[in-house]
Amino acid sequence: MFQGDIEHMQHNVEQPPPTSAGGAQETVIIVGQEEQPQLERKKRKLASKFPLVNISGNILLAYQSLGVVYGDLSTSPLYVYKSIFVGKLQDYQTPETIFGAFSLIFWTITLIPLIKYVLIVLSADDNGEGGTFALYSLLCRHAKFSLLSNQQAADEELSAYKYGFAGQSTSCLGLKRFLEKHKKSRTVLLIIVLLGACMVIGDGIITPAMSVISAMSGIKAAAEHLSHGEVLVLSCLILVGLFALQHFGTHRVGFLFAPIVVIWLISIFGIGLYNIIIWNPKIVHALSPYYIIKFFRETRKHGWFSLGGVLLSVAGTEAMFADLGHFTSCSMRIAFSFLVYPCLVVQYMGQAAFLSKNLASVPDSFYNSIPDSVYWPVFVIATLASIVASQSIITATFSIVKQLNALGCFPRVKIVHTSKHVKGQIYIPEINWILMILTLSVAIGFQDTILMGNAYGLACMTSMFITTFLTTLVMIFVWQRNIALATCFLLFFWFIEGVYLSSAFTKVSQGGWVSLVLAFVFLAVMFVWQYGTRKKYSFDLHNKVPLKWLLGMGPSLGIVRVPGIGLVYSELATGVPAIFSHFLTNLPAFHSVLVFLCVKSVPVPYVSPEERFLIGRICPRPYRMYRCIVRYGYKDIQRDDGDFEDLLIQSIAEFIQIEAVESQLSSSENPSLDGRMAVISKKNVQSTSTLIVSEDFGIRDSIQSSKSLTLQSLRSAYAEENPQIRRRRVRFQLPENPGMDPAVKAELEDLIRAKEAGVAYIMGHSYVKARRSSSFLKKFAIDIGYSFLRKNCRGPSVVLNIPQISLIEVGMIYHV
């Protein structure tokens, strides 16, 4: 039961090592920690080693992933060849350069999506989650790279915390100590991660516009009477419809879109095979990389400029990793390796075979290569597939914003979980409509897929470049691979991606600037929010209420203690926040039971319900003051329990009983247990609760219990008008136990009476301002940037689903 003292909480802000409210080091008691987490870890480990055990489930997920993840990759044949042969390369349209272009496309698809992502990067998951922030959280748990606040040593006891390889390699100790020692290096690492996330969000803005307009270009080629403006209006209407569908969720959208992608892949495979056989079977020789050498020998620097078009063939690959939490790595590997990859290779090969005999068709190569007999059916499928293509990156954007939000790097937004079975499937209304507005702006502003492709290629390759770097760090610090081996991985893929990235940067003036502007704006928002949040937490940490002050006031705290429970919300995981003293000096009464509640995110995807509640005591027993830390992963649903209050009361009661048992077992000279924390298992609370729980769904008792006749009549009238409404009410009682310690019994009775009197939620309504002595840059970031974001994002009470009727807000100014 007792696991012993653990180390001081590790903070990454400049501060003295914090202690608990009692002045002692934090101690954790693990209670009710049954074998469920271990069983879950064994199941995950078994599934990763033997994915064929659940082959039917993986095949179903692979089918769904086609509609969510691979739409973007699958529709790239619509515009790749057109994007390659632009500018001066139009003067080199010969069969040899066509063969070389196909060889470049083939080896790019093989090396980056197939070898790098499918074989390597998809293995760098964080408990099944993917994306740049999943890699970052994985690194932060295996080394002290994090700049996140209120992290505790107790978090390291979570079952999901040590996901990955155990042990410590001596070869990476020097590099690890260097990064941990220098705060600037950790700041740079966070900025790199944020930049990668910004580039994926930028993809989410550009991809829908480019995919839909590329598909709609086919109708203009076949129906020449349509003007460019009419085609643009049709494209914008399709984009609006696409974003309007997002609230149905990934599960429904995946089943709706997956058949479209399957038909599309089969269609382009058939068309490609037809063109190979009919036009030029010798195109198979271009699988040799020798044709790449011939391509650059003939085109020289103009061939290098054209690489910005080649990299569009792997556009959407990053979404494969970012969307990993919606599916499984095995299902994604099945879908790509056995369907997406072969269909794309055959299609690109078929287009090259057609173009080698029809050089004038390069500007509209895909639609010109379609046989006339199937043109219109393929056009309809292409239009539908282009809509699906946008889904992968939109879904990835939702996933990344959720991770950023949970780890304190993005303003608070409303997160809707669209599936009861798959936790990672979410919808964010604010982000969805912002993406729609920006996407329409890009579509109307550019109206040209070549310019959009330049912007898209820059964002796409930058995010891949960053993922390669972070995966290398995971190899070193998490997988414990040899540094030389990890460096070979880094240099090999950085060389390939660096060549493409350098080509993409030459197109900055030709549309690429959009990606840079979008990345800068989102990066500024993220960094300002993270900086302001960290400064606010640092202020709270340095202005905690001294324990001596509370002890000197006595159990009554110098005021009237009225019946009820006061839940004081704070970001502090230790100590008493300054807002509490501010409240005491302005109000003459406070609740008889106080619970300082800290709802925080930890750098793991999910926290098991058995490990969620961390309960402790502040001050001696007569004060009736407790601390509760509620821990969520960055993919968890916060306050997903409808009976949160009742579960909290049961957890505190369980802690009181456990504390009494520990006191009896320990020496009589042992000091009070102030500052000790216990992990209270939800399962243990529900099965062996200290309290007797009774519940009903009626409202008659609440009507009779009211002392006001007017209120009784109003409630009776409401009940008669709404007979279908029944409110769930829970009552607690103490079991008959003659051997119970009288002090414990009295404390539990006080807790029950307080619960019956009602629960109030106390939160700080803070105003954060920079000190007068601060620099201009800091004043601009805090007084303008951070204040603007706080005023225009969701309030903490809304995010935590706190009932407004029970909310008390205390105004306070923070000078940081």
Side-chain angles (χ1 to χ4, degrees):
M1 181 182 294
F2 180 73
Q3 288 197 341
D5 292 338
I6 62 178
E7 298 175 353
H8 284 294
M9 178 175 66
Q10 300 293 328
H11 289 287
N12 292 296
V13 294
E14 296 176 4
Q15 61 197 30
T19 59
S20 66
Q25 286 186 339
E26 184 188 56
T27 302
V28 175
I29 306 170
I30 307 297
V31 179
Q33 206 54 359
E34 301 184 14
E35 296 182 357
Q36 187 66 21
Q38 287 82 355
L39 289 174
E40 291 298 327
R41 288 201 300 273
K42 289 179 181 178
K43 288 178 182 178
R44 285 197 299 264
K45 194 172 182 180
L46 183 65
S48 63
K49 288 185 176 181
F50 306 102
L52 294 179
V53 172
N54 190 22
I55 188 67
S56 60
N58 280 318
I59 290 175
L60 179 62
L61 287 174
Y63 171 75
Q64 288 187 28
S65 71
L66 292 170
V68 176
V69 178
Y70 293 112
D72 195 6
L73 264 174
S74 301
T75 55
S76 55
L78 287 169
Y79 46 76
V80 168
Y81 280 107
K82 178 174 65 174
S83 301
I84 294 173
F85 290 96
V86 294
K88 292 293 182 66
L89 208 65
Q90 291 177 344
D91 300 332
Y92 296 91
Q93 292 181 7
T94 63
E96 288 73 19
T97 55
I98 297 294
F99 275 45
F102 166 69
S103 188
L104 272 169
I105 293 170
F106 169 74
W107 284 104
T108 302
I109 294 175
T110 301
L111 290 174
I112 296 181
L114 183 63
I115 294 179
K116 176 190 165 184
Y117 277 87
V118 171
L119 297 183
I120 300 174
V121 175
L122 287 182
S123 299
D125 66 296
D126 181 14
N127 289 273
E129 296 299 323
T132 52
F133 248 81
L135 293 174
Y136 180 67
S137 66
L138 197 60
L139 288 169
C140 290
R141 299 204 306 272
H142 288 78
K144 298 172 184 176
F145 297 159
S146 177
L147 290 174
L148 305 176
S149 56
N150 73 14
Q151 301 304 301
Q152 298 171 278
D155 299 335
E156 299 179 12
E157 302 297 327
L158 293 170
S159 58
Y161 200 89
K162 288 298 181 184
Y163 182 80
F165 288 85
Q168 180 65 52
S169 174
T170 56
S171 62
C172 66
L173 283 178
L175 178 61
K176 180 180 177 182
R177 287 170 182 167
F178 174 81
L179 293 173
E180 291 178 344
K181 181 179 179 181
H182 296 86
K183 185 180 179 181
K184 289 184 179 179
S185 64
R186 290 180 279 130
T187 303
V188 170
L189 179 62
L190 177 62
I191 292 174
I192 290 173
V193 172
L194 294 179
L195 179 61
C198 291
M199 287 300 179
V200 176
I201 296 173
D203 282 352
I205 294 168
I206 301 168
T207 301
M210 190 174 71
S211 299
V212 172
I213 290 179
S214 296
M216 294 304 292
S217 64
I219 195 172
K220 187 179 179 182
E224 297 180 356
H225 64 279
L226 287 176
S227 67
H228 180 75
E230 291 172 335
V231 173
L232 182 62
V233 170
L234 288 174
S235 301
C236 291
L237 290 175
I238 291 174
L239 288 171
V240 172
L242 170 68
F243 284 101
L245 281 175
Q246 295 305 311
H247 74 279
F248 289 109
T250 306
H251 177 74
R252 295 182 180 88
V253 171
F255 267 109
L256 176 65
F257 286 170
I260 297 172
V261 177
V262 172
I263 296 171
W264 166 253
L265 288 170
I266 294 173
S267 300
I268 63 174
F269 179 86
I271 293 169
L273 192 61
Y274 170 84
N275 287 326
I276 293 170
I277 297 171
I278 297 298
W279 292 105
N280 196 348
K282 292 183 179 179
I283 189 65
V284 294
H285 297 157
L287 294 174
S288 170
Y290 170 70
Y291 283 87
I292 298 176
I293 299 173
K294 290 182 65 177
F295 176 82
F296 285 111
R297 186 184 298 164
E298 184 174 346
T299 60
R300 298 188 181 277
K301 67 175 184 179
H302 303 299
W304 173 63
F305 288 142
S306 70
L307 290 178
V310 176
L311 69 85
L312 293 178
S313 63
V314 295
T317 304
E318 187 65 26
M320 187 192 309
F321 184 47
D323 287 335
L324 184 58
H326 295 249
F327 306 99
T328 63
S329 59
C330 181
S331 64
M332 288 194 172
R333 288 181 172 120
I334 291 172
F336 184 83
S337 304
F338 293 101
L339 186 60
V340 178
Y341 177 74
C343 290
L344 286 177
V345 170
V346 171
Q347 166 56 211
Y348 283 119
M349 188 183 296
Q351 272 197 63
F354 172 80
L355 292 176
S356 66
K357 301 296 183 180
N358 301 272
L359 296 175
S361 298
V362 168
D364 202 11
S365 60
F366 177 79
Y367 285 108
N368 287 336
S369 68
I370 301 173
D372 293 337
S373 58
V374 295
Y375 182 89
W376 285 110
V378 172
F379 167 74
V380 173
I381 298 170
T383 304
L384 294 174
S386 69
I387 299 172
V388 178
S390 310
Q391 182 60 45
S392 62
I393 201 66
I394 293 172
T395 304
T397 302
F398 291 158
S399 297
I400 286 175
V401 170
K402 170 69 171 72
Q403 295 174 20
L404 290 166
N405 180 260
L407 297 177
C409 296
F410 200 87
R412 293 179 292 266
V413 291
K414 181 180 181 181
I415 297 171
V416 180
H417 292 259
T418 58
S419 174
K420 295 181 180 179
H421 308 290
V422 183
K423 292 183 178 180
Q425 297 185 357
I426 59 173
Y427 164 69
I428 305 177
E430 296 98 318
I431 300 300
N432 185 61
W433 303 123
I434 289 173
L435 287 179
M436 187 190 75
I437 293 170
L438 293 176
T439 298
L440 291 174
S441 301
V442 169
I444 297 170
F446 279 151
Q447 302 182 20
D448 184 1
T449 56
I450 301 297
L451 297 177
M452 293 180 197
N454 294 336
Y456 186 26
L458 181 59
C460 176
M461 195 49 65
T462 304
S463 61
M464 290 182 182
F465 200 77
I466 291 172
T467 298
T468 301
F469 172 68
L470 295 176
T471 304
T472 303
L473 295 181
V474 169
M475 287 180 174
I476 296 172
F477 297 116
V478 181
W479 295 353
Q480 307 295 331
R481 298 302 188 202
N482 186 276
I483 292 181
L485 180 64
T487 304
C488 290
F489 167 83
L490 177 70
L491 294 178
F492 178 75
F493 284 104
W494 260 14
F495 173 76
I496 297 171
E497 294 164 354
V499 172
Y500 283 111
L501 190 60
S502 63
S503 175
F505 269 108
T506 64
K507 307 291 181 65
V508 170
S509 61
Q510 303 171 35
W513 60 269
V514 172
S515 293
L516 297 180
V517 170
L518 290 173
F520 175 78
V521 171
F522 281 105
L523 183 63
V525 169
M526 294 176 190
F527 194 76
V528 165
W529 183 264
Q530 198 272 344
Y531 177 77
T533 302
R534 188 155 48 93
K535 287 296 182 182
K536 180 177 178 292
Y537 176 80
S538 180
F539 179 90
D540 275 333
L541 194 66
H542 286 90
N543 291 273
K544 293 188 293 187
V545 177
L547 183 61
K548 291 182 180 179
W549 183 70
L550 291 176
L551 293 174
M553 298 177 70
S556 67
L557 299 179
I559 55 175
V560 178
R561 301 289 292 268
V562 297
I565 296 178
L567 299 182
V568 183
Y569 277 81
S570 169
E571 294 179 3
L572 292 179
T574 60
V576 177
I579 187 178
F580 181 65
S581 61
H582 190 65
F583 195 99
L584 290 182
T585 55
N586 287 276
L587 289 177
F590 215 83
H591 302 85
S592 58
V593 174
L594 292 176
V595 181
F596 291 90
L597 193 62
C598 173
V599 180
K600 71 172 189 175
S601 293
V602 290
V604 296
Y606 302 103
V607 175
S608 169
E610 284 72 34
E611 302 173 300
R612 179 148 296 154
F613 286 92
L614 196 60
I615 306 293
R617 184 189 293 281
I618 298 177
C619 297
R621 178 174 288 165
Y623 284 70
R624 303 294 192 256
M625 296 169 64
Y626 310 93
R627 178 186 313 287
C628 176
I629 300 173
V630 188
R631 301 178 291 186
Y632 291 96
Y634 57 77
K635 284 283 188 176
D636 272 323
I637 308 172
Q638 292 201 2
R639 290 288 304 272
D640 54 339
D641 299 301
D643 55 349
F644 176 81
E645 292 179 8
D646 301 325
L647 188 59
L648 177 62
I649 301 305
Q650 293 178 73
S651 299
I652 294 174
E654 194 71 21
F655 168 77
I656 293 170
Q657 188 76 357
I658 293 162
E659 184 189 49
V661 173
E662 285 293 322
S663 299
Q664 294 173 2
L665 295 177
S666 61
S667 171
S668 58
E669 297 179 358
N670 194 41
S672 69
L673 295 177
D674 288 355
R676 292 197 173 189
M677 307 289 288
V679 178
I680 306 296
S681 168
K682 177 180 176 181
K683 181 180 294 186
N684 189 66
V685 166
Q686 292 175 341
S687 60
T688 60
S689 178
T690 304
L691 305 177
I692 297 175
V693 181
S694 60
E695 60 182 57
D696 63 80
F697 294 86
I699 61 172
R700 182 61 54 187
D701 292 340
S702 63
I703 294 174
Q704 299 299 328
S705 62
S706 177
K707 295 180 180 180
S708 169
L709 296 176
T710 305
L711 188 58
Q712 285 187 25
S713 62
L714 288 173
R715 286 179 174 174
S716 299
Y718 180 79
E720 291 174 0
E721 294 176 3
N722 302 274
Q724 73 281 6
I725 296 178
R726 293 293 183 267
R727 192 176 65 173
R728 180 175 179 270
R729 297 173 64 251
V730 175
R731 293 185 180 277
F732 297 106
Q733 294 179 339
L734 276 178
E736 293 294 333
N737 186 0
M740 181 180 291
D741 188 326
V744 172
K745 184 177 181 180
E747 187 172 7
L748 291 174
E749 288 175 344
D750 288 346
L751 182 65
I752 294 173
R753 281 195 294 268
K755 174 62 174 66
E756 292 296 325
V759 178
Y761 299 82
I762 298 100
M763 301 191 72
H765 190 82
S766 56
Y767 298 88
V768 183
K769 294 183 178 293
R771 292 193 183 99
R772 291 184 178 180
S773 59
S774 300
S775 64
F776 171 77
L777 191 60
K778 182 178 179 181
K779 288 181 178 178
F780 181 83
I782 297 296
D783 296 344
I784 298 177
Y786 186 65
S787 296
F788 174 80
L789 294 175
R790 281 179 61 87
K791 290 176 183 177
N792 291 277
C793 70
R794 301 269 179 173
S797 61
V798 177
V799 174
L800 294 170
N801 298 316
I802 294 175
Q804 295 297 309
I805 195 172
S806 305
L807 177 63
I808 301 173
E809 291 188 301
V810 182
M812 189 170 179
I813 298 177
Y814 288 71
H815 292 282
V816 298

